[in-house]
Amino acid sequence: MIKVLENPFYYLENFHQVLAWIGERYDDLLNADERHFLATFSTLPQSSRALFVRMVMRKGTIFRASKLVYAEIGSTHEAARPLAQAGLIEEDPQLELDALFDLLQKPEIVKVFQLGAHVKHLRKADQLAALRQQYDGARRFSGWYAHSGDHAYRNLTQQLCDRLRLIFFGNYHQDWTDFVLSDLGIYQYEKVEFSPAARGFRSRRDIDDFLAIHQCHERFAEGEDPAAVIADLPPCAPDNEWLRSRRNKLLFAIAQHVEKLRDWPTAHAMYANCDYPGARARAIRVLEKNEQPREAFDLLQIALQAPESEAERQQLLRMAPRLARKLGHAKPPPVVLAQAERIDLSLPPPQEASYVEFVVRDHLSKEDAPVYYVENSLINSLFGLLCWDAVFSPIPGAFFHPYHRGPADLHSADFQRRRALQFGDALSQLDGDQYRATIRANFAAKYGIQSPFVFWEAVDEELLDLALECIPPQHLKRAFERILLDVKSNRSGFPDLIQFWPAERRYNMIEVKGPGDRLQDNQLRWIEYCAAHAMPVSVCYLQWAA
């Protein structure tokens, strides 16, 4: 149930919680400015601290007092004075024309610059362009808008606060709203036991490297020259796989960009120096595009001896015949893959717009054999419920703050290995009947808690009971083992539908393809796996009847 927050300073309490957490666990990694901020912030008046946090939580660094009106704070200008005296904000800051336009509304712009009829009706961006030639310097807000009756402030410590947020969360995609959503009961997080020493960053270098990689990512996204971005990419500590993965992900994205520009040598060099999944296959493809089939074929042979994943093996087998043909080699024997049963349907188009999966679901569903649209939700949820304790094991470095949706190393190559004992215990339940009780108990006890595997909105008790009665535990074990082989790739690609025959305690998974649609690579891999292990799976090809 969503609750109402009674404390009007809830956001300030959350901010202090972060500062206390960082002070307890990361003091040895902080620089002088960060340590000074943690030591002095609590000495400011409550209203000033609250105003500061309100600024930190908002977008940008420049604000008007008239836009910072909060009942619990009172006078914004009075609350701002101690912040200015402490050097946290600047009152009446110097503003360039562009920054001023971000603060002013169109009627105010017309008033401040006394715009004539030919300019005042233009769009705001066009007004700015028209005024740039006349105003190229910076002035204080009061100098631009002398009689506004308002005040402006610049937050001088936004970057410092962003660093503190990074140190706490270990990423930039979580922010202060996570606290609020948790306080309101919208998000619930598993309570994991972790030692005071558990933390996302182990050294100051880790923090600095993360910031440098993030800045390089922003520069690349803004269109800066890839060579300049790569030159500033830090090498990262050799024992920090998490940061190396972030670095390689950015390098892979840059290499893809260079490949699109048809700069084959540079793209190949980038892929060759990148450990991100898929880089080796792209390096082979770039060699082929650059008319170097011999080099491409040799690298492909090496890769085939030890594919990094099912996805890479799939790509390599697709390229092998083409490269062999270019080199005049005999065509390699085709790889025979296990095939799914085929279902062909010709149905009248629905009267109202609908997804093809829903059309097929409704057509195939019977009272004694219901069909559900589940896609990736069902098997992942069953896995997450059975392996809940394993996924949320307090492995060192996996959890370091109370707002984790899942372990920080979820996509690491050694995710399963580091929890081999816990996953072994969970999957061994599938050799008997205990798994049903565990899944049902976790469904009841953990309902609504954030999980990287469980789709609470898609799985109810009725579907859960049908799945547990109709899917043999051996099939669940096969599916769960494949998920653990490559969590990032194998959490997706499951068939769209599942049909149950409760009286016969059997099921069938069905992938639906509408007119002109084709199977995606990750779907092909799951279908092949299921067919190879006698797990019932079909592909339904739907055509619209004339």
Side-chain angles (χ1 to χ4, degrees):
M1 178 182 294
I2 297 176
K3 58 185 177 182
V4 177
L5 298 178
E6 297 179 356
N7 179 7
F9 291 100
Y10 64 90
Y11 54 92
L12 178 57
E13 285 193 3
N14 290 336
F15 191 78
H16 277 294
Q17 178 186 336
V18 170
L19 299 188
W21 190 279
I22 293 172
E24 292 172 6
R25 290 167 172 78
Y26 292 95
D27 182 70
D28 59 313
L29 306 189
L30 302 180
N31 63 28
D33 289 341
E34 293 158 355
R35 197 172 285 116
H36 176 75
F37 180 83
L38 264 63
T40 60
F41 181 71
S42 61
T43 64
L44 296 169
Q46 183 185 50
S47 60
S48 300
R49 284 179 280 131
L51 177 62
F52 179 80
V53 176
R54 287 290 193 183
M55 290 183 182
V56 168
M57 293 177 67
R58 297 182 67 162
K59 184 178 179 181
T61 59
I62 305 173
F63 309 97
R64 295 174 64 169
S66 59
K67 302 298 182 182
L68 295 169
V69 178
Y70 301 98
E72 76 276 8
I73 292 176
S75 169
T76 302
H77 194 51
E78 290 298 320
R81 283 176 181 161
L83 297 175
Q85 293 168 1
L88 299 181
I89 69 170
E90 177 188 6
E91 290 186 293
D92 200 17
Q94 294 271 357
L95 302 176
E96 302 283 349
L97 188 64
D98 289 50
L100 178 70
F101 262 61
D102 287 339
L103 294 183
L104 300 185
Q105 297 178 334
K106 278 191 70 174
E108 293 178 308
I109 293 171
V110 172
K111 179 180 178 181
V112 168
F113 295 99
Q114 299 182 343
L115 299 182
H118 66 293
V119 179
K120 69 179 183 180
H121 295 300
L122 295 176
R123 294 184 305 116
K124 196 174 177 181
D126 294 329
Q127 292 175 338
L128 175 60
L131 291 169
R132 275 205 182 104
Q133 297 177 351
Q134 304 173 48
Y135 302 94
D136 58 356
R139 305 181 190 178
R140 297 200 178 275
F141 177 76
S142 59
W144 286 111
Y145 197 178
H147 304 293
S148 68
D150 205 350
H151 301 277
Y153 314 104
R154 186 195 305 272
N155 182 356
L156 300 176
T157 52
Q158 186 65 49
Q159 289 186 347
L160 183 149
C161 291
D162 286 342
R163 288 200 305 274
L164 295 177
R165 176 167 61 91
L166 167 65
I167 292 170
F168 179 80
F169 285 116
N171 60 67
Y172 269 133
H173 64 260
Q174 285 181 284
D175 58 28
W176 312 108
T177 59
D178 280 66
F179 288 88
V180 180
L181 294 173
S182 177
D183 290 341
L184 290 171
I186 296 173
Y187 285 170
Q188 301 175 59
Y189 298 92
E190 177 71 342
K191 291 179 173 59
V192 180
E193 294 292 335
F194 44 80
S195 69
R199 51 191 192 174
F201 298 101
R202 296 167 296 178
S203 67
R204 186 69 201 191
R205 176 182 174 176
D206 286 349
I207 298 173
D208 294 339
D209 284 348
F210 188 106
L211 290 168
I213 293 170
H214 179 73
Q215 290 165 1
C216 287
H217 182 277
E218 295 294 299
R219 288 163 55 191
F220 172 64
E222 291 170 1
E224 191 169 330
D225 177 37
V229 173
I230 290 176
D232 291 336
L233 263 179
C236 296
D239 62 340
N240 194 320
E241 181 184 343
W242 169 54
L243 277 177
R244 284 206 325 277
S245 177
R246 293 187 66 88
R247 183 186 189 277
N248 283 326
K249 183 177 182 180
L250 175 56
L251 188 60
F252 184 79
I254 296 174
Q256 287 181 304
H257 172 74
V258 173
E259 182 183 351
K260 290 177 182 177
L261 298 178
R262 306 177 69 84
D263 183 352
W264 313 129
T266 303
H268 176 262
M270 290 182 182
Y271 285 131
N273 290 305
C274 177
D275 293 332
Y276 196 73
R280 182 167 61 174
R282 292 313 310 167
I284 296 170
R285 186 73 180 104
V286 166
L287 286 172
E288 182 184 9
K289 289 179 178 180
N290 198 30
E291 304 298 331
Q292 295 178 271
R294 166 57 59 190
E295 292 80 356
F297 186 79
D298 290 345
L299 182 55
L300 182 140
Q301 296 305 308
I302 295 172
L304 274 175
Q305 293 176 20
E308 66 182 23
S309 64
E310 293 177 353
E312 187 188 50
R313 178 178 176 272
Q314 187 181 46
Q315 291 177 293
L316 297 175
L317 292 175
R318 196 171 286 157
M319 289 188 284
R322 189 172 62 243
L323 287 170
R325 184 173 63 251
K326 289 183 178 181
L327 293 172
H329 295 172
K331 184 178 180 180
V335 177
V336 180
L337 303 178
Q339 297 295 311
E341 178 186 345
R342 179 179 177 121
I343 301 173
D344 289 288
L345 287 180
S346 178
L347 300 175
Q351 295 182 348
E352 297 181 1
S354 179
Y355 291 107
V356 292
E357 296 87 353
F358 297 167
V359 173
V360 173
R361 177 198 63 188
D362 295 343
H363 174 75
L364 295 178
S365 190
K366 301 181 175 106
E367 185 175 349
D368 61 346
V371 181
Y372 292 82
Y373 174 74
V374 293
E375 199 172 12
N376 300 317
S377 63
L378 179 59
I379 300 299
N380 273 303
S381 294
L382 293 171
F383 170 83
L385 291 169
L386 178 64
C387 300
W388 189 279
D389 291 344
V391 171
F392 289 98
S393 296
I395 300 294
F399 299 96
F400 40 86
H401 62 75
Y403 301 92
H404 279 281
R405 181 172 178 263
D409 63 338
L410 183 68
H411 294 155
S412 297
D414 61 352
F415 171 72
Q416 185 276 337
R417 181 182 60 79
R418 297 181 71 209
R419 302 160 176 82
L421 181 62
Q422 292 89 335
F423 279 119
D425 289 343
L427 297 192
S428 68
Q429 296 181 44
L430 293 161
D431 297 329
D433 198 50
Q434 178 61 34
Y435 74 97
R436 291 189 174 95
T438 299
I439 288 174
R440 288 191 172 104
N442 282 334
F443 183 84
K446 307 296 184 180
Y447 192 87
I449 295 176
Q450 296 289 299
S451 165
F453 295 102
V454 183
F455 293 69
W456 297 113
E457 72 284 357
V459 179
D460 57 21
E461 289 191 56
E462 178 184 4
L463 177 57
L464 192 70
D465 287 341
L466 281 169
L468 292 178
E469 289 302 315
C470 296
I471 304 177
Q474 299 87 349
H475 292 183
L476 291 177
K477 193 170 189 178
R478 291 289 190 183
F480 297 170
E481 288 171 343
R482 185 172 187 271
I483 289 173
L484 285 172
L485 283 175
D486 185 350
V487 171
K488 184 175 182 180
S489 298
N490 294 345
R491 280 193 297 170
S492 62
F494 290 93
D496 299 307
L497 309 177
I498 189 165
Q499 186 165 22
F500 297 108
W501 287 266
E504 304 170 37
R505 298 188 68 176
R506 67 182 180 92
Y507 74 104
N508 184 41
M509 294 178 287
I510 306 167
E511 177 62 34
V512 178
K513 291 298 166 191
D517 199 3
R518 65 180 182 85
L519 291 167
Q520 303 299 311
D521 284 348
N522 61 344
Q523 295 170 339
L524 284 167
R525 293 194 296 271
W526 260 114
I527 289 170
E528 178 195 351
Y529 182 84
C530 291
H533 291 90
M535 300 162 64
V537 62
S538 305
V539 179
C540 176
Y541 293 93
L542 172 66
Q543 298 295 330
W544 300 124

